[in-house]
Amino acid sequence: MGSRELAEALRAAAEERAAAIRRGAEADCGRIRSEAADAVAALREEYGRREAAAVEAAKGEIRAAAEQTVRLAGLRAEHLLAERLHRLARELLPGVGAEGGEALFASLGRELPPGDWERVTVNPADEAPARRLFPGAAIAADPAVFGGLEAERGGGRFRVVNTLEKRLERGWAELLPALLAEIRGGG
């Protein structure tokens, strides 16, 4: 084999070898591109899941905040309604006392424990019935007493308040839920 043929064989072998290296490099590039595309797709999927989870978490927080706001608004409204109902009930007391008249006063007076009452405070309209029911007591008229009485003995050490206002105050915790239920239920 001559030098020319040897050179030609070496060049052909080199070209074959270079082509094989190019094919190998192209295959590696293709594999790397495929792996990169797979990695990008996996990241997109992962970030999509994270985004969906973040959106759901944000929705949950927004819903919880909205529900809390609604509950607080409901509580505020119920509190305002309770205050208004209490104010209205207090405003009705003078009428209840006047409507009940002497029979209501006598009934409230009989609820007192027996004893020699020294001082009895009543609404001016109940002064005469008070003098009959408590003949030995000093009777004081006070327009702030809407119905019922305040009685003292023992030099003021023993005092009983049996006024409509005090009864409303004592019974309000039981009366309010019933009123609210009636308002909510429409009857």
Side-chain angles (χ1 to χ4, degrees), residues 86 89-90 93 161 163-175:
H86 191 260
R90 287 179 52 82
L93 289 179
V161 179
T163 62
L164 293 179
E165 186 173 26
K166 185 54 94 172
R167 292 172 79 92
L168 176 63
E169 179 185 315
R170 287 183 189 136
W172 188 246
E174 292 177 23
L175 184 59

Side-chain angles (χ1 to χ4, degrees), residues 5-174:
E5 293 168 341
L6 180 62
E8 191 61 35
L10 286 174
R11 191 173 358 130
E15 283 178 14
E16 181 60 34
R17 176 84 175 133
I21 291 172
R22 275 194 298 276
R23 284 191 303 273
E26 286 172 4
D28 286 346
C29 285
R31 183 181 44 77
I32 290 170
R33 282 188 188 112
S34 177
E35 287 174 0
D38 290 347
V40 167
L43 283 174
R44 280 192 180 126
E45 188 177 316
E46 175 62 25
Y47 284 121
R49 280 194 299 269
R50 287 182 186 178
E51 181 182 14
V55 167
E56 285 305 311
K59 284 180 184 178
E61 289 173 11
I62 291 168
R63 270 190 234 106
E67 288 171 5
Q68 183 178 10
T69 299
V70 167
R71 277 193 306 275
L72 289 174
L75 289 172
R76 274 195 288 283
E78 193 167 279
H79 177 73
L80 291 173
L81 178 60
E83 285 180 341
R84 183 165 186 215
L85 288 171
H86 191 260
R87 188 174 51 253
L88 288 171
R90 287 179 52 82
E91 289 172 5
L92 291 173
L93 289 179
V96 170
E99 188 177 308
E102 194 170 332
L104 174 63
F105 177 80
S107 174
L108 294 172
R110 285 191 299 271
E111 290 179 359
L112 267 67
D116 294 327
W117 296 100
E118 297 165 356
R119 178 178 169 84
V120 178
T121 304
V122 298
N123 184 278
D126 294 325
E127 210 171 334
R131 290 191 193 290
R132 286 191 296 277
L133 194 59
F134 303 100
I139 305 298
D142 183 354
V145 176
F146 301 127
L149 56 123
E150 295 179 19
E152 298 176 8
R153 69 177 180 205
R157 288 189 318 266
F158 186 66
R159 183 170 180 238
V160 175
V161 179
N162 197 15
T163 62
L164 293 179
E165 186 173 26
K166 185 54 94 172
R167 292 172 79 92
L168 176 63
E169 179 185 315
R170 287 183 189 136
W172 188 246
E174 292 177 23

